[in-house]
Amino acid sequence: MTISRRKTLALLGGGTILAATGVAAYGVTRMPTSAYEPWAAAGGYADPRMHALSYAILAPNPHNRQPWQVDLRDEGEVTLRVDTDRLLPHTDPFSRQICIGLGCFLEMMVLAAAERGYGVELDLFPDGSDPSALDARRVAVARFVEGGASPEPDLFAHVMARRSLKEPFDVTRTVDQSTLDEVLASAGGTQVMGSVDPESIGQMREITHEALRIEIETPRTYKESVDLFRIGSREVAANPDGIDFTGPMFEAMAITRTFTREIALDQGSMAYSEGLAAVMANVDAAMGHLWQVTPGNTRADQIAAGRDWLRLNLAATSLGLGMQPLSQGLQEYPEMAHIYSDLHARLAPDGGTVQMLARIGYGPDVGQSPRWPIESKIVNA
């Protein structure tokens, strides 16, 4: 769950800039430039593994937790593990979504390696896996093979522009079926489907709206998100992960203490009520939906879903189309069980697991998400 920046500004920011008039302009307008340096550094490494990894860290992942750890001790190999301190136990109790994020990381690495003329052979979960939890065992061993792959410039060319668009879409601009079909065709292995039918859009808006309400009104799941709020440049620079709130108005809110994690958690506050209205504006502006289904729900299935999710996101970007995951209704905790069942009955009537669901539409250009540098993710190099 991410609060829409534009809506939050409109709803909460009205008096904040006036309150911050006496604050130094530098304090209000500064941006955490170090948090975006990994985007500029991508591709600037001679080692083909570091080259690929410098792009892989830009992959989408749940709540921007960036849960990857890489080991480079073996020549020509990358060993990937999950950082178990970066899981989401309340909204993602079995770490299914985190595993999907690891799949996004691996696919980005594979695409970037191919641009340098290297194939990547993946050995997934060589030590076995636990379907109920991710642990310290190896997620993947990736072996780089020179000359072993064909580049995919139609996808890779859009890596730097790829976003998860967390703003309301333009409801006056429809998405053509042919455009959706082109996005769906980019998937490499999982079953992907979608709809831009007005009746389907209305039904899916309703159910995703309800799922989002449940997540926000369930104290432990909402707090898991709020604990990851990074409000203002100082917090983002210190922890370039989680859910970032930057820009002049959020700087003013941080300085004047009119938007804090404590205020966001207070159900009687304007920040809570208007923030709820803001995120609902996103799901209610969906102009179509797409979803992924796998036959089972193994860790390998989840990795495959993540790999294809990245490809779908890049393909959408190439067509000027925005995508935002709507993962709330697919989360596996008791309060969400009836929504989970409803979505599976609608989207996977023949069986299987719905791994990802997204809204699609046309929206504004947005900035990059903060990232930790690749060097901070390397262990036992």
Side-chain angles (χ1 to χ4, degrees):
M1 187 279 297
T2 302
I3 291 179
S4 162
R5 274 73 168 158
R6 184 171 65 181
K7 284 289 185 180
T8 303
L9 290 178
L11 295 164
L12 300 180
T16 303
I17 294 300
L18 292 177
T21 300
V23 179
Y26 167 79
V28 173
T29 60
R30 62 181 177 168
M31 291 293 287
T33 54
S34 62
Y36 304 104
E37 287 174 358
W39 290 84
Y45 297 85
D47 183 322
R49 296 175 301 168
M50 287 294 291
H51 168 84
L53 290 169
S54 70
Y55 286 105
I57 61 170
L58 307 180
N61 61 101
H63 276 21
N64 198 24
R65 293 302 284 142
Q66 303 169 54
W68 26 76
Q69 290 181 336
V70 294
D71 185 333
L72 300 179
R73 77 179 83 189
D74 293 324
E75 186 70 23
E77 292 186 1
V78 171
T79 295
L80 174 66
R81 289 183 170 85
V82 67
D83 184 343
T84 55
D85 291 333
R86 293 181 171 273
L87 305 181
L88 298 165
H90 296 297
T91 54
D92 188 27
F94 306 116
S95 295
R96 181 186 60 82
Q97 294 177 83
I98 289 287
C99 194
I100 290 171
L102 296 171
C104 294
F105 178 95
L106 289 172
E107 184 66 11
M108 187 79 92
M109 182 180 72
V110 168
L111 290 173
E115 289 300 303
R116 275 280 183 95
Y118 284 81
V120 179
E121 299 174 352
L122 292 176
D123 184 6
L124 297 177
F125 299 100
D127 310 315
S129 62
D130 182 347
S132 65
L134 285 176
D135 52 35
R137 284 177 286 184
R138 293 176 294 176
V139 171
V141 175
R143 299 178 180 88
F144 281 57
V145 180
E146 189 170 6
S150 299
E152 296 189 63
D154 290 347
L155 290 179
F156 189 75
H158 303 283
V159 165
M160 302 306 288
R162 185 213 61 79
R163 307 284 187 268
S164 296
L165 185 51
K166 305 177 182 99
E167 295 288 342
F169 294 145
D170 182 351
V171 296
T172 68
R173 189 176 179 189
T174 59
V175 179
D176 293 335
Q177 183 65 49
S178 59
T179 301
L180 174 60
D181 289 343
E182 192 169 345
V183 173
L184 299 180
S186 67
T190 61
Q191 184 181 16
V192 294
M193 293 163 281
S195 177
V196 290
D197 174 72
E199 183 177 356
S200 172
I201 290 171
Q203 293 171 347
M204 292 302 295
R205 283 179 180 177
E206 183 176 346
I207 194 170
T208 55
H209 183 114
E210 176 64 7
L212 187 53
R213 182 195 65 78
I214 291 170
E215 184 187 276
I216 294 175
E217 294 185 358
T218 301
R220 71 184 184 285
T221 57
Y222 179 53
K223 187 175 186 299
E224 186 167 77
S225 293
V226 173
D227 286 345
L228 295 173
F229 283 8
R230 313 297 188 219
I231 304 170
S233 60
R234 187 182 300 275
E235 288 191 1
V236 172
N239 289 287
D241 53 28
I243 303 168
D244 66 292
F245 294 88
T246 55
M249 286 195 179
F250 284 114
E251 290 301 321
M253 291 179 188
I255 293 168
T256 59
R257 304 289 294 172
T258 52
F259 180 46
T260 66
R261 282 174 286 279
E262 293 74 22
I263 290 172
L265 283 170
D266 180 2
Q267 295 188 19
S269 71
M270 181 179 294
Y272 181 91
S273 60
E274 301 295 2
L276 178 60
V279 292
M280 294 307 182
N282 280 0
V283 297
D284 295 343
M287 297 304 291
H289 297 85
L290 62 80
W291 54 93
Q292 293 176 277
V293 178
T294 55
N297 193 26
T298 66
R299 292 300 183 192
D301 287 330
Q302 295 160 13
I303 291 290
R307 296 187 67 178
D308 269 354
W309 177 259
L310 177 72
R311 298 177 67 86
L312 292 165
N313 200 173
L314 290 172
T317 302
S318 74
L319 297 167
L321 193 65
M323 279 177 55
Q324 182 189 12
L326 300 177
S327 301
Q328 294 80 15
L330 303 178
Q331 293 168 348
E332 300 120 312
Y333 55 90
E335 293 86 346
M336 197 66 74
H338 65 291
I339 298 291
Y340 182 94
S341 296
D342 190 358
L343 282 173
H344 277 74
R346 290 169 181 264
L347 305 181
D350 298 325
T353 300
V354 183
Q355 297 288 356
M356 291 293 286
L357 168 65
R359 68 184 183 106
I360 57 174
Y362 296 99
D365 292 333
V366 295
Q368 300 160 339
S369 295
R371 287 293 189 274
W372 289 98
I374 180 55
E375 289 80 5
S376 71
K377 298 296 183 177
I378 298 174
V379 295
N380 299 319

